[in-house]
Amino acid sequence: MPYRNTRILYDCEAAYLAGLIDGEGTVTLCRKHRNENRQLCVSISSTERQMLEWVVATTGVGKITSKRIASKRHSPSFTYAVYNRQALSLLEQTQTWLKTYKRMRAVLILEQYLRLTPRNGHYTPELKDAKRLFEQAVLGLRANCCSESNPS
């Protein structure tokens, strides 16, 4: 399957996606498997699959997965997720409109992620230390840490 690039978004699309990310999404560095290095992930969760299908169609990247239902009373739920360079491209286009702590995460990621993440996955000891500090800085930016600097 050929590598897909994130589509160039219109401002209104990027702003709407930023609202979805701020409201129901995540900008984080995650591990898909326990012993792997962390990678960039942008995700949006919703019970509205049609909305997430719009996100995939609009961005041209990512995929939708179904979440397990814990109780019969819960509605079916879905998650859109995009990783690495495709997620980086999405953040480049949406970070202007992000309003929560996720904007600070996006800015930090856009400034440092490529420099600290070699495509071949080979880290020197110095690069590994720098990447660990970067991960701590990104993951340390949380909703409760930013309320004073970003009053609503």
Side-chain angles (χ1 to χ4, degrees):
M1 179 181 268
Y3 184 80
R4 296 184 299 169
N5 290 319
T6 307
R7 200 179 131 262
I8 303 301
L9 304 173
Y10 294 108
D11 284 350
C12 60
E13 294 169 332
Y16 185 76
L17 280 167
L20 292 176
I21 294 167
D22 268 339
E24 301 298 331
T26 303
V27 175
T28 193
L29 301 170
C30 65
R31 288 188 180 100
K32 286 187 178 179
H33 304 286
R34 182 177 296 184
N35 294 325
E36 286 184 344
N37 291 316
R38 289 184 184 272
Q39 57 186 310
L40 175 58
C41 175
V42 175
S43 65
I44 303 168
S45 295
S46 179
T47 57
E48 298 292 329
R49 185 176 178 98
Q50 277 186 308
M51 180 189 59
L52 298 179
E53 288 171 355
W54 175 86
V55 174
V56 171
T58 301
T59 62
V61 295
K63 69 178 195 173
I64 300 170
T65 56
S66 299
K67 294 171 106 178
R68 269 188 294 142
I69 299 173
S71 167
K72 290 182 205 177
R73 297 179 299 197
H74 294 167
S75 298
S77 183
F78 309 93
T79 298
Y80 162 83
V82 62
Y83 299 92
N84 301 315
R85 292 186 187 248
Q86 293 171 337
L88 200 61
S89 176
L90 186 60
L91 285 180
E92 286 172 347
Q93 297 184 69
T94 57
Q95 66 93 16
T96 301
W97 289 278
L98 293 170
K99 301 297 181 198
T100 66
Y101 72 97
K102 295 166 192 173
R103 181 178 189 163
M104 288 187 284
R105 279 190 175 187
V107 168
L108 186 57
I109 288 166
L110 289 169
E111 289 173 352
Q112 298 186 31
Y113 184 75
L114 287 179
R115 181 177 58 82
L116 297 172
T117 309
R119 286 191 70 123
N120 64 7
H122 297 292
Y123 289 85
T124 64
E126 296 81 17
L127 188 57
K128 193 171 217 165
D129 288 342
K131 176 80 180 239
R132 185 180 46 77
L133 292 173
F134 165 70
E135 290 171 357
Q136 289 174 350
V138 170
L139 298 175
L141 293 171
R142 299 177 187 266
N144 57 357
C145 76
C146 306
S147 58
E148 293 175 17
S149 63
N150 190 10
S152 297

